[in-house]
Amino acid sequence: MSVRLLELKNIECRYGSTIAVKDLSFRVYPGDLICLLGPSGCGKSTVLRAIAGLEPIYNGQIILDQKIVSSASTTLAPEKRGLGMVFQDYALFPHMNIEKNVCFGVRHLSAKEQKRLCDEMLGIVGLGDYRQRYPHELSGGQQQRVALARALIVKPKLILMDEPFSNLDIDLRERLSLEVREILKDQGLTGIMVTHDQSEAFAVADKIAVLYDHTLQQWDTAYNLYHGPINRFVADFIGQGEFLKGRLLKPDTVETEIGILSGDRAYDWPVDTAVDVLIRPDDIVPQADSALKAEVKYKSFKGSEIFYQLQLTTGGKLLAAFPSHFDFYLGEIIGIDLDIHHLIAFKR
Ligand code: ADP
C-alpha cells in the first residue's frame, strides 16, 4: 500500500469553549478523492480549515507528507503546506483578468513560464479562450473552474474544496462536480471536498466521511454508506427508507410484519432482541399477485421512477421506488415483494 499523504490523528478543534470537532481520525492516500459530508454545523469546514492550517487544533495531530503540521503546540502556516484551496464564493480578484487570477500563485515565475502554465491550466478546465476576460464576464460555473485552475497551477499535493458548487444551480452543480472529479483523477491529484449534499458527495468521492455532532460517524464508499450504514444517524442521513419493527430470530434473520428477512450480516444480539429494520425504497418491488399488500398513500413522479409512500395493512410504512410505468393511483391496494440483499438492523 502506498504511503499516506495525510493523516488526522484524534484531532479536536475548539472555538473558545465550543468544541467544533472531536476525536477525529482518518487517512488519505495519494490520488484519493474524499468528501466530508454532514449537516450544517457538524464541523466539516473546521476540519478542512484545520488541514489548511487556517485553524489551530486543540488536541491530536495532523500529519502531511510524514511531517507533523498541526498539533496542540504547533500550526504550520497555510502557505508552507503546499495545498490548493477552492471556496464556495470563488474568491477571484475582480479587478484582474482570468490570466492574472490563474497565475496569482506563480507570479514570481517568468512571464513566459506563467503563460505556459496558464495555458495548461485553462486547457485543463476548458477555458482556453477566456484568458483576457474579467470574472464578472463569466458565469458562476466558469468562475468556479477558474478558481480550480488557480488552485491547480501551483501543483498542490492536496487540493481542499469547501462547498465549491453550492452557489450554482443544481444541474450545473452535478455536471461540474463530475467534471472536477475527472480533472483531479486525470491529473492524479488528491482532493478533499466539503459538502452537505449527498448526491454531490456520491458523484465526486472515492470515500466519504460522514460527520455528525462534531465526530466522524462512518468513513466508507457511497455504496457501503447506503447499504451498510453503521448507525441510525447514517441510515437516516444517507438515502431514504423506513424502519420496521422486528425481533431477531437468528444472527442474520429477523421477523417483521412483512415476514422473515435474512441478509448477509450477522448480529450477535440474543434471540428475541427487539430491533428496527431499515427498508430502502429499492428493497421493494411491485408484484401484482403477492399476498403482501400495501395502500398507496403518496406518490411523487421522478421521471425514470415513481416514489411511493406505502401503508402496510399491518400498520407499518414503507417507501418504494418503482420504474415509472408502474403508475398506481392514490388509495390503490397493491401487491409488493421484497428484494432485500442487505439486512440492516438496529437495536431498539
Ligand atoms: P460545518 O462546516 O459542518 O457547517 P463548521 O465547521 O463551520 O460546521 O462549524 C462547527 C461548529 O463550530 C458549529 O457549531 C459552529 O457554530 C462552530 N463555529 C464555527 N466557526 C466558529 C467561529 N468562528 N466561532 C465560534 N464558533 C464557530
Side-chain angles (χ1 to χ4, degrees), residues 15 20 39-46 214:
Y15 296 102
S40 176
C42 69
K44 306 178 296 292
S45 292
T46 303
H214 317 291

Side-chain angles (χ1 to χ4, degrees), residues 3 14-15 43 51-52 61 70 102 127 145 155 175 184 193 203 218 230 238 248 265 271 301 309 315 319 326 328 340:
V3 178
R14 295 186 177 195
Y15 296 102
I51 296 168
Q61 289 181 332
S70 293
V102 171
L127 289 174
R145 287 207 286 255
K155 311 263 178 202
R175 215 173 62 223
L184 298 186
M193 184 173 113
Q218 189 166 355
I230 61 160
I238 301 288
L248 199 70
R265 276 202 180 187
V271 169
F301 186 75
Q309 244 174 46
L319 279 177
F326 288 98
F328 302 118
I340 294 183

Side-chain angles (χ1 to χ4, degrees), residues 40 58 101 132 151 161 193 195 209:
S40 176
Y58 187 84
N101 264 287
Q132 298 306 332
M161 296 170 279
M193 184 173 113
T195 180

Side-chain angles (χ1 to χ4, degrees), residues 11-22 40-59 87 162 194 211 214:
I11 71 158
E12 181 172 319
C13 299
R14 295 186 177 195
Y15 296 102
S17 58
T18 308
I19 296 181
V21 176
K22 49 186 183 207
S40 176
C42 69
K44 306 178 296 292
S45 292
T46 303
V47 176
L48 203 76
R49 292 171 58 79
I51 296 168
L54 297 167
E55 295 292 344
I57 65 172
Y58 187 84
N59 241 323
F87 295 100
D162 194 352
V194 162
L211 273 78
H214 317 291

